[in-house]
Amino acid sequence: MSFQSICYNILVSYTQAQSHRRVSKLFDTLLVILILVNIAAMMLETVPGIPAVWQYELHIIEITSVILFTIEYALRVYSSAEAPSHHDKPYMRPWQKRLDYIKSPMAIIDLMAILPFYLSMLVAFDLRILRVFRVLRILKIGRYSRSMQTLVTVIRNETHSLLAAISVLLLFTVIAATCIYYIEHETQPDVFSSIPASMWWAVVTLTTLGYGDAVPITPLGKLFGGLVTIMGICFYALPAGILSSSYTAQMQLKRDRFKDTVRKVLDDGALTDHDMQHIDRVRELLALDEEEARLIMRLLQHHHKGAK
Amino acid sequence: MSFQSICYNILVSYTQAQSHRRVSKLFDTLLVILILVNIAAMMLETVPGIPAVWQYELHIIEITSVILFTIEYALRVYSSAEAPSHHDKPYMRPWQKRLDYIKSPMAIIDLMAILPFYLSMLVAFDLRILRVFRVLRILKIGRYSRSMQTLVTVIRNETHSLLAAISVLLLFTVIAATCIYYIEHETQPDVFSSIPASMWWAVVTLTTLGYGDAVPITPLGKLFGGLVTIMGICFYALPAGILSSSYTAQMQLKRDRFKDTVRKVLDDGALTDHDMQHIDRVRELLALDEEEARLIMRLLQHHHKGAK
Amino acid sequence: MSFQSICYNILVSYTQAQSHRRVSKLFDTLLVILILVNIAAMMLETVPGIPAVWQYELHIIEITSVILFTIEYALRVYSSAEAPSHHDKPYMRPWQKRLDYIKSPMAIIDLMAILPFYLSMLVAFDLRILRVFRVLRILKIGRYSRSMQTLVTVIRNETHSLLAAISVLLLFTVIAATCIYYIEHETQPDVFSSIPASMWWAVVTLTTLGYGDAVPITPLGKLFGGLVTIMGICFYALPAGILSSSYTAQMQLKRDRFKDTVRKVLDDGALTDHDMQHIDRVRELLALDEEEARLIMRLLQHHHKGAK
Amino acid sequence: MSFQSICYNILVSYTQAQSHRRVSKLFDTLLVILILVNIAAMMLETVPGIPAVWQYELHIIEITSVILFTIEYALRVYSSAEAPSHHDKPYMRPWQKRLDYIKSPMAIIDLMAILPFYLSMLVAFDLRILRVFRVLRILKIGRYSRSMQTLVTVIRNETHSLLAAISVLLLFTVIAATCIYYIEHETQPDVFSSIPASMWWAVVTLTTLGYGDAVPITPLGKLFGGLVTIMGICFYALPAGILSSSYTAQMQLKRDRFKDTVRKVLDDGALTDHDMQHIDRVRELLALDEEEARLIMRLLQHHHKGAK
């Protein structure tokens, strides 16, 4: 087994041998801890008093993690040549696969986590902007949580609907801001100084955030504010409804896939230990609840006996 | 092909030839940009300092867009004579179709977007009120987004239920305002000066907005406020539940329609390129997710083979 | 037809003849207007300046409406003898039916709308408490809106689950209040003066109301407050989920009933005008959306033809 | 029947004889009242003025309830030897069962409700921390409400998804806090003093709590705050959607189980009084709504007749 193939199995693949699997899990855990330590350091750096005392330690953490992140990135790009080819392009050269990987969203996040550090060393650049980018390292965690990936799938599937809901919310915000500007501008010229300024009130009100720094005080403004709030509930409820509906569909799909696997196994005859392991593996991959899986299995076994 | 028919194909129809389709999309994009520029100009006009410097440019944008909106409106009314007749009235005269179009909600929005400008030129009218109407031009965007139309359908389908939920909320608001008035009036005569004034508190509390400008301070008032808030969660949850339920039903309907189309195509025999294009067109019209559509197709193909 | 039977048909029944139906609808509309005028008068009475000028008119409105509400109540009790008997008690005497009606929730609301007025005349009682009860007249409106009755059904069906959700919320509120009291009491002895006082903060925070009159300021308090808020989202989401789930089930049930009706009519043979009227009546009773009903009908007709 | 068996029937089992059932219910009610009185006493103890006057009474309540809770705990541990054995370990010794019970979550809560009292007597320990633990006695109530157990089941089933949703929320909170820190730190060095301090703003904003103690005031900060809030709605909607979806699935499962029971009874032939009692018992155990159960039964009876 080549070094490239070992790297690929540890870093990426979920179908590896038992021995690699343990190394892979250990590797994942260590990286998550590294990311968390790095983010904690970045946050503590801004607390008054801490940088003065701990500057050296914080600097060590930063440099160590950038080096480790760089090695991780290099290994991921290098081993991505082991990735299976696309459906439509059956014969891809290693460098094509690597280029494909480099262009993937997770690889771009990985690159953005280390690039600012090297940029700040090369160019005499304003460091402050680059520090903001350091927080994006936290997105690297997303790679290691399967439930988080389900949520990302739900959000990506419903991107169109969510964008539409947000657009409707924005349209409504602009209308509300324009109206409240003409109603309250004369009484509170400081708070509702212009329509763009009034949009702050509109967003804070329509999302039921309600800071209280911009509040209508004229009777007409209060009446309009009340109407806007009540109508806002409906607009606010749309994204919740969309995501809820999509999540339900997603979970249903997972259950159906699990049922299919169990049915196939049951049709094959007696339920061996190997079959049970296979079913358990599928259940884990689908991130299905253990109790629910057991219930589904019992139900299908019952039906199977009845059919015989 | 007459000029009227070309206009209709570009402005309205979704079933036009490939060449017109591209023109139509370009046309839509340009109009959306024009609307956004116009709304931005309207908002900037109110920012202190900007009108003094950019008055001439803002005026040019306003006049240009009104002229373009007027041409658009005229062409839409003119070409609406090409629209298919109603089910119940098979033979409609062109002017009848045009009148029908003029009375449609979208045409009224289009008219309201330009009418204030002409009115302000004809009559010596207070301009401020008319400026508020200019923001309604933003509603013209709704025409160009299919997902937004799905949301509008959801809201329109559930108008009755939403109105009932809002009525319940209003009933509850009046009751809460009356009670808090009698509880807090003596302690805070400025904030809870009358029942209508107390309704501001009730709305802000029941929608969990919580500005903080009107807050009960007596123990009894706080107890009542807490109870109202907790009960409010339930009332607040109703519109969310209604819309969520309706959206799920709407999406299910779309999936069923897509499945029907795919089934018909599969029953007809081999899956040609032309069939695929047809299926893709239907998918696009229903605003279905590409990945989901692929999943549905694979499932149906599998079942189809099994049935054979 | 006796006077008692006419009253019953106009006031209560939904299955009356066409002529009575119109009278019944007119009657309902007039009563809703009367209730709204009465509530408006009650609210205006508290606005500073208004009672001094309009005292006489407000008094007339109050007395008139109490008289009309009394007549309505008397007629409802009198005509309730026409109500159909219970399943389990086939032979009920008129006075038994009337007593049954008097003990029904809507009748108690009707009584509470008029009783305070008479009480205040008989006894030298503190008027302020009685005025609060006047607002309950608004609940009389619930009788006239079918969608509102659907919502009430949803809430009543899920009373157990909602109470459980509210109990969990209350348990959590007590725990949060106790913890924040021990964390913040020393720093802010005025705001977090005792555990009952801290419950105000806990309720305002867990319901995401956030007035801002009680806010933790110590780092530990802010950390705890943040955790409580994030956990609160989940508790807050429960009633929404419960109501949404129940509403979906309720709507499904209505659709199934409508489908049953349509199927029966289709099985009987040709679709006559009388059948269509019957279907439309059922649709109206179920408060089903017109467009959805049409869709269901078309689908069932299609299936029916296919089955033949 | 041994004393141990009687204790077990009264304290735990739901399948006991009619006579024990009544004692069991009485026992449950008394314990709930005792817990509520105890919690009320704990809360009142902190109200200024009350401890001075009622110190003796509050002390009596505390000691009495600790003694009763101790007896309850001892009896539960003692009688848990009567519990049925596990599936996988058919022959368990009594002490093994007792140890199993002691390690169960409810038993740990019971122990934590009494342990602080004894600890404070044995060791010279800071009492304040122990007092906080007293509030956990309220969790004992959870044992006595079946609907609350449904909710706990829903939350436990979806723990993975909820944790993922909360993790996404936390990731987003860290990113938002970092960005707002670099945007607002210079203008408001007191409020946005460091990234950990800015996290308070991020949590309060993303959960739409909006106290108003930390509000962006620069135009860029307001723009960013608005974007964060609107994106926050989507993240906020996820837990609601997850719980709603899970609750719907849970209720569906209960309905299916009830249907199975009714079908089996109907297949057995005539519906005797004994059958009805059995069905009602199942309905109660599943915490199903009475009206819904009746509807399901009528539907199944109808189908049954049709099948014959």
Side-chain angles (χ1 to χ4, degrees):
Chain A
M1 215 170 184
S2 71
F3 175 65
Q4 181 173 298
S5 153
I6 290 170
C7 282
Y8 183 75
N9 274 328
I10 290 173
L11 286 164
V12 184
S13 176
Y14 284 120
T15 57
Q16 68 273 69
Q18 204 64 29
S19 64
H20 282 167
R21 223 179 164 192
R22 211 166 290 161
V23 181
S24 179
K25 278 207 167 171
L26 184 73
F27 195 85
D28 284 7
T29 315
L30 287 177
L31 264 176
V32 168
I33 291 171
L34 183 68
I35 296 166
L36 292 178
V37 166
N38 189 268
I39 293 294
M42 182 207 71
M43 290 172 77
L44 288 174
E45 217 171 284
T46 64
V47 176
I50 285 192
V53 187
W54 300 93
Q55 193 165 11
Y56 182 72
E57 285 82 353
L58 292 172
H59 204 63
I60 291 286
I61 289 174
E62 173 65 11
I63 287 174
T64 317
S65 37
V66 166
I67 291 170
L68 290 173
F69 288 152
T70 311
I71 295 171
E72 186 211 352
Y73 181 69
L75 284 179
R76 278 192 195 278
V77 171
Y78 169 68
S79 70
S80 64
E82 290 281 322
S85 300
H86 279 278
H87 282 273
D88 40 344
K89 295 186 232 157
Y91 299 104
M92 284 171 78
R93 302 237 170 126
W95 67 263
Q96 281 178 317
K97 288 180 183 174
R98 280 181 190 132
L99 198 71
D100 258 35
Y101 175 74
I102 287 171
K103 288 187 291 188
S104 72
M106 275 319 286
I108 290 169
I109 287 174
D110 281 356
L111 189 61
M112 274 167 70
I114 48 173
L115 210 61
F117 181 84
Y118 295 111
L119 273 180
S120 71
M121 275 165 60
L122 290 173
V123 214
F125 205 58
D126 181 14
L127 275 163
R128 247 191 39 186
I129 282 291
L130 292 176
R131 274 198 195 126
V132 178
F133 277 97
R134 271 171 64 191
V135 80
L136 295 178
R137 283 173 196 168
I138 212 170
L139 293 176
K140 283 166 74 87
I141 285 181
R143 195 200 292 278
Y144 307 110
S145 159
R146 205 144 319 136
S147 316
M148 220 178 267
Q149 279 161 25
T150 306
L151 292 189
V152 170
T153 310
V154 166
I155 291 175
R156 208 176 45 202
N157 275 3
E158 296 297 316
T159 311
H160 277 285
S161 311
L162 285 176
L163 279 182
I166 288 174
S167 307
V168 170
L169 195 72
L170 280 179
L171 289 199
F172 202 67
T173 307
V174 170
I175 295 172
T178 308
C179 294
I180 204 77
Y181 169 76
Y182 285 111
I183 294 171
E184 290 278 325
H185 175 60
E186 268 175 47
T187 325
Q188 299 188 81
D190 290 340
V191 181
F192 298 98
S193 60
S194 66
I195 294 179
S198 304
M199 282 199 61
W200 178 240
W201 172 82
V203 167
V204 165
T205 300
L206 277 171
T207 59
T208 75
L209 186 52
Y211 281 132
D213 57 342
V215 179
I217 53 170
T218 61
L220 189 59
K222 286 189 173 183
L223 184 66
F224 179 74
L227 286 177
V228 160
T229 311
I230 288 171
M231 284 184 75
I233 292 181
C234 299
F235 287 104
Y236 184 84
L238 273 174
I242 290 167
L243 285 176
S244 161
S245 160
S246 170
Y247 185 81
T248 310
Q250 198 86 353
M251 288 310 292
Q252 196 54 49
L253 211 74
K254 284 191 168 180
R255 269 182 219 118
D256 288 353
R257 277 194 200 159
F258 184 70
K259 276 184 193 166
D260 258 27
T261 310
V262 175
R263 258 196 222 108
K264 263 185 212 152
V265 167
L266 286 174
D267 284 348
D268 281 4
L271 207 67
T272 62
D273 265 17
H274 184 263
D275 287 347
M276 283 308 289
Q277 269 179 23
H278 173 65
I279 287 176
D280 209 55
R281 196 85 170 261
V282 172
R283 185 194 66 70
E284 218 176 88
L285 268 168
L286 294 171
L288 257 192
D289 184 51
E290 226 171 299
E291 203 177 333
E292 198 175 358
R294 210 151 36 202
L295 203 106
I296 290 175
M297 277 204 63
R298 216 177 308 152
L299 212 80
L300 284 176
Q301 277 178 306
H302 185 85
H303 271 230
H304 201 73
K305 277 179 197 159
K308 277 184 180 169
Chain B
M1 214 170 185
S2 71
F3 175 65
Q4 180 174 297
S5 153
I6 289 170
C7 282
Y8 183 75
N9 274 329
I10 289 173
L11 286 165
V12 183
S13 176
Y14 285 119
T15 58
Q16 67 273 70
Q18 205 62 31
S19 64
H20 282 166
R21 224 178 164 191
R22 210 166 292 162
V23 181
S24 179
K25 278 207 170 172
L26 183 74
F27 195 84
D28 285 7
T29 314
L30 287 177
L31 263 176
V32 168
I33 291 171
L34 182 67
I35 296 166
L36 291 178
V37 166
N38 188 269
I39 293 293
M42 181 205 70
M43 290 171 78
L44 288 174
E45 215 170 284
T46 64
V47 176
I50 285 191
V53 187
W54 300 94
Q55 193 167 10
Y56 182 72
E57 285 82 353
L58 291 172
H59 205 62
I60 291 287
I61 290 174
E62 173 65 10
I63 287 174
T64 316
S65 37
V66 166
I67 292 170
L68 289 173
F69 288 152
T70 310
I71 294 171
E72 187 211 353
Y73 181 70
L75 284 179
R76 277 192 196 277
V77 170
Y78 169 66
S79 70
S80 64
E82 291 282 322
S85 299
H86 281 277
H87 282 273
D88 40 344
K89 293 187 232 156
Y91 298 107
M92 284 172 79
R93 301 237 169 126
W95 67 264
Q96 280 178 317
K97 288 181 183 174
R98 281 184 190 130
L99 197 72
D100 257 34
Y101 175 73
I102 287 172
K103 288 187 290 187
S104 73
M106 277 319 286
I108 290 169
I109 287 174
D110 282 356
L111 188 62
M112 274 168 70
I114 47 172
L115 209 61
F117 181 83
Y118 294 110
L119 273 180
S120 71
M121 274 166 60
L122 289 173
V123 214
F125 206 58
D126 181 14
L127 275 163
R128 247 190 41 186
I129 281 293
L130 293 175
R131 274 198 194 127
V132 178
F133 278 97
R134 272 171 62 191
V135 80
L136 295 177
R137 283 174 196 168
I138 212 170
L139 293 176
K140 282 167 75 87
I141 285 182
R143 194 200 294 276
Y144 306 109
S145 158
R146 206 144 320 136
S147 316
M148 220 178 269
Q149 278 162 26
T150 306
L151 291 189
V152 169
T153 310
V154 167
I155 292 175
R156 209 177 43 202
N157 275 4
E158 297 296 316
T159 311
H160 277 283
S161 309
L162 285 176
L163 279 183
I166 289 174
S167 306
V168 170
L169 195 72
L170 280 180
L171 288 199
F172 202 66
T173 307
V174 170
I175 295 173
T178 307
C179 293
I180 204 76
Y181 168 76
Y182 285 110
I183 293 171
E184 290 279 324
H185 175 60
E186 268 175 45
T187 324
Q188 298 188 84
D190 289 340
V191 180
F192 299 97
S193 60
S194 66
I195 296 180
S198 304
M199 281 199 61
W200 177 242
W201 171 83
V203 167
V204 165
T205 300
L206 277 172
T207 58
T208 75
L209 185 53
Y211 282 130
D213 57 342
V215 179
I217 53 171
T218 62
L220 188 60
K222 287 189 173 183
L223 185 67
F224 179 74
L227 286 177
V228 159
T229 311
I230 288 170
M231 284 184 76
I233 292 181
C234 300
F235 288 104
Y236 183 84
L238 273 174
I242 290 166
L243 285 176
S244 162
S245 159
S246 171
Y247 185 81
T248 310
Q250 199 86 352
M251 289 309 294
Q252 197 52 50
L253 211 74
K254 283 191 170 180
R255 270 183 219 117
D256 288 354
R257 276 192 201 161
F258 184 69
K259 276 184 193 166
D260 257 27
T261 311
V262 175
R263 258 196 223 108
K264 264 186 212 153
V265 167
L266 287 173
D267 284 348
D268 281 3
L271 206 68
T272 62
D273 265 17
H274 184 263
D275 288 347
M276 284 307 289
Q277 268 180 22
H278 174 64
I279 288 175
D280 209 54
R281 196 83 170 262
V282 171
R283 186 194 65 72
E284 218 176 89
L285 267 168
L286 293 171
L288 258 192
D289 185 51
E290 226 170 301
E291 203 176 332
E292 199 176 357
R294 209 151 37 202
L295 204 105
I296 290 174
M297 277 205 64
R298 215 176 309 152
L299 212 79
L300 285 175
Q301 277 177 306
H302 185 86
H303 272 231
H304 201 75
K305 277 179 199 158
K308 276 183 182 169
Chain C
M1 216 170 183
S2 69
F3 175 66
Q4 181 173 299
S5 154
I6 290 170
C7 283
Y8 183 75
N9 274 328
I10 290 174
L11 286 165
V12 184
S13 176
Y14 284 121
T15 56
Q16 67 272 71
Q18 204 64 29
S19 63
H20 282 166
R21 226 179 161 189
R22 209 166 293 163
V23 181
S24 179
K25 277 206 169 171
L26 183 73
F27 195 86
D28 284 7
T29 315
L30 287 177
L31 263 176
V32 169
I33 292 171
L34 182 67
I35 296 165
L36 291 178
V37 166
N38 189 268
I39 292 293
M42 182 206 72
M43 289 171 77
L44 288 174
E45 215 170 286
T46 65
V47 176
I50 285 192
V53 186
W54 300 94
Q55 192 166 11
Y56 183 72
E57 285 83 353
L58 291 172
H59 205 63
I60 291 285
I61 290 175
E62 173 65 9
I63 288 174
T64 316
S65 36
V66 166
I67 291 170
L68 290 172
F69 289 153
T70 310
I71 294 171
E72 186 211 351
Y73 181 70
L75 285 179
R76 278 193 195 276
V77 171
Y78 169 68
S79 70
S80 64
E82 291 281 324
S85 300
H86 280 278
H87 283 274
D88 40 344
K89 294 186 234 155
Y91 299 107
M92 284 171 80
R93 302 236 171 126
W95 68 265
Q96 280 178 318
K97 288 181 182 173
R98 283 185 188 129
L99 197 72
D100 259 34
Y101 175 74
I102 288 172
K103 288 187 291 188
S104 73
M106 277 317 287
I108 290 169
I109 288 174
D110 281 356
L111 187 62
M112 273 166 70
I114 48 173
L115 210 60
F117 181 84
Y118 295 110
L119 274 179
S120 71
M121 274 167 59
L122 290 172
V123 214
F125 206 58
D126 181 14
L127 275 162
R128 250 192 37 189
I129 282 292
L130 293 176
R131 275 201 194 123
V132 178
F133 278 97
R134 271 172 63 191
V135 80
L136 295 178
R137 283 174 195 167
I138 213 171
L139 293 176
K140 283 166 74 87
I141 286 180
R143 194 202 294 276
Y144 306 108
S145 159
R146 207 146 316 139
S147 316
M148 218 177 270
Q149 279 162 24
T150 306
L151 293 189
V152 170
T153 310
V154 167
I155 292 175
R156 209 176 44 201
N157 276 2
E158 297 297 315
T159 311
H160 277 284
S161 310
L162 285 176
L163 278 183
I166 288 175
S167 306
V168 171
L169 194 73
L170 280 179
L171 289 198
F172 203 66
T173 306
V174 170
I175 295 172
T178 307
C179 293
I180 204 76
Y181 168 77
Y182 285 111
I183 294 170
E184 291 279 324
H185 176 60
E186 268 174 45
T187 326
Q188 298 187 83
D190 289 340
V191 179
F192 298 98
S193 60
S194 66
I195 296 179
S198 305
M199 282 200 59
W200 177 242
W201 171 83
V203 167
V204 165
T205 300
L206 278 171
T207 59
T208 76
L209 186 52
Y211 281 131
D213 57 342
V215 178
I217 53 171
T218 62
L220 188 61
K222 285 189 174 183
L223 184 66
F224 179 74
L227 285 177
V228 159
T229 311
I230 288 170
M231 284 185 75
I233 291 180
C234 300
F235 288 104
Y236 184 84
L238 272 174
I242 289 167
L243 285 176
S244 161
S245 159
S246 170
Y247 185 80
T248 310
Q250 199 86 353
M251 288 310 293
Q252 196 53 48
L253 211 74
K254 282 192 171 180
R255 270 182 218 119
D256 287 354
R257 276 192 201 162
F258 184 70
K259 276 184 193 166
D260 257 28
T261 311
V262 175
R263 256 194 223 109
K264 263 185 212 155
V265 166
L266 286 174
D267 283 349
D268 281 5
L271 206 67
T272 61
D273 266 18
H274 185 262
D275 287 347
M276 284 307 290
Q277 268 179 22
H278 174 64
I279 287 175
D280 209 54
R281 196 85 170 259
V282 171
R283 186 194 66 70
E284 217 175 89
L285 267 168
L286 294 171
L288 259 192
D289 185 51
E290 228 171 300
E291 203 176 334
E292 199 176 357
R294 213 155 30 209
L295 204 105
I296 290 174
M297 276 203 64
R298 217 176 306 153
L299 212 79
L300 285 175
Q301 277 178 308
H302 185 84
H303 271 230
H304 201 74
K305 277 181 200 159
K308 277 185 181 168
Chain D
M1 217 171 184
S2 70
F3 175 66
Q4 182 174 295
S5 154
I6 290 170
C7 283
Y8 183 74
N9 274 328
I10 289 173
L11 286 164
V12 184
S13 176
Y14 284 119
T15 56
Q16 68 272 70
Q18 204 64 29
S19 63
H20 282 166
R21 226 179 161 190
R22 209 166 291 163
V23 181
S24 181
K25 278 207 168 172
L26 183 74
F27 195 85
D28 286 7
T29 314
L30 286 177
L31 264 176
V32 168
I33 291 171
L34 183 67
I35 296 165
L36 291 178
V37 166
N38 189 268
I39 293 293
M42 181 207 72
M43 290 172 77
L44 288 174
E45 216 172 285
T46 65
V47 176
I50 285 191
V53 186
W54 300 94
Q55 193 166 11
Y56 182 72
E57 286 82 354
L58 291 172
H59 205 62
I60 292 286
I61 289 174
E62 173 65 11
I63 287 175
T64 317
S65 36
V66 166
I67 292 170
L68 290 173
F69 289 153
T70 310
I71 295 171
E72 186 210 353
Y73 181 70
L75 285 179
R76 279 193 195 275
V77 170
Y78 169 68
S79 69
S80 62
E82 291 281 323
S85 299
H86 280 277
H87 283 273
D88 39 344
K89 293 184 232 155
Y91 299 105
M92 284 172 79
R93 301 236 171 127
W95 67 263
Q96 281 178 318
K97 288 181 183 173
R98 281 183 189 130
L99 197 72
D100 257 35
Y101 175 73
I102 287 172
K103 288 188 290 189
S104 73
M106 277 316 288
I108 290 169
I109 287 175
D110 282 355
L111 188 61
M112 274 167 70
I114 48 173
L115 210 61
F117 180 84
Y118 295 111
L119 274 179
S120 71
M121 275 166 59
L122 289 172
V123 215
F125 205 57
D126 181 14
L127 275 163
R128 247 192 39 187
I129 281 293
L130 293 176
R131 275 201 194 123
V132 178
F133 277 98
R134 271 172 64 192
V135 80
L136 295 177
R137 282 174 195 167
I138 212 170
L139 293 176
K140 283 165 75 88
I141 285 181
R143 195 200 294 277
Y144 307 109
S145 158
R146 207 147 315 138
S147 316
M148 220 179 269
Q149 279 162 24
T150 306
L151 293 188
V152 170
T153 310
V154 167
I155 292 176
R156 209 176 44 201
N157 276 2
E158 297 296 316
T159 310
H160 277 284
S161 310
L162 284 176
L163 279 183
I166 288 175
S167 306
V168 170
L169 194 73
L170 280 180
L171 289 199
F172 202 66
T173 307
V174 170
I175 295 173
T178 308
C179 293
I180 204 76
Y181 168 76
Y182 285 111
I183 293 171
E184 290 279 325
H185 175 60
E186 268 174 46
T187 325
Q188 299 188 82
D190 290 340
V191 180
F192 298 98
S193 60
S194 66
I195 295 179
S198 304
M199 281 199 62
W200 177 242
W201 171 83
V203 167
V204 165
T205 300
L206 278 171
T207 59
T208 76
L209 186 51
Y211 282 132
D213 56 343
V215 179
I217 54 171
T218 63
L220 188 61
K222 286 188 173 183
L223 185 66
F224 179 74
L227 286 177
V228 159
T229 311
I230 288 170
M231 285 185 74
I233 291 180
C234 299
F235 287 103
Y236 184 85
L238 273 175
I242 289 166
L243 284 176
S244 161
S245 158
S246 171
Y247 185 81
T248 310
Q250 198 86 353
M251 288 310 292
Q252 195 54 49
L253 211 74
K254 282 190 171 181
R255 269 181 219 118
D256 287 354
R257 277 194 200 159
F258 184 70
K259 276 184 192 165
D260 257 28
T261 311
V262 174
R263 257 194 223 110
K264 263 184 212 153
V265 167
L266 286 174
D267 283 350
D268 281 4
L271 207 67
T272 61
D273 265 18
H274 185 263
D275 288 346
M276 284 307 290
Q277 268 180 23
H278 175 63
I279 288 175
D280 209 55
R281 196 85 169 259
V282 172
R283 185 194 66 71
E284 218 175 89
L285 267 168
L286 294 171
L288 258 193
D289 185 52
E290 228 171 298
E291 204 177 333
E292 198 175 357
R294 212 153 33 205
L295 204 104
I296 290 175
M297 277 204 64
R298 218 177 306 152
L299 213 79
L300 285 175
Q301 277 177 307
H302 186 85
H303 272 230
H304 201 74
K305 277 181 198 158
K308 276 185 180 170

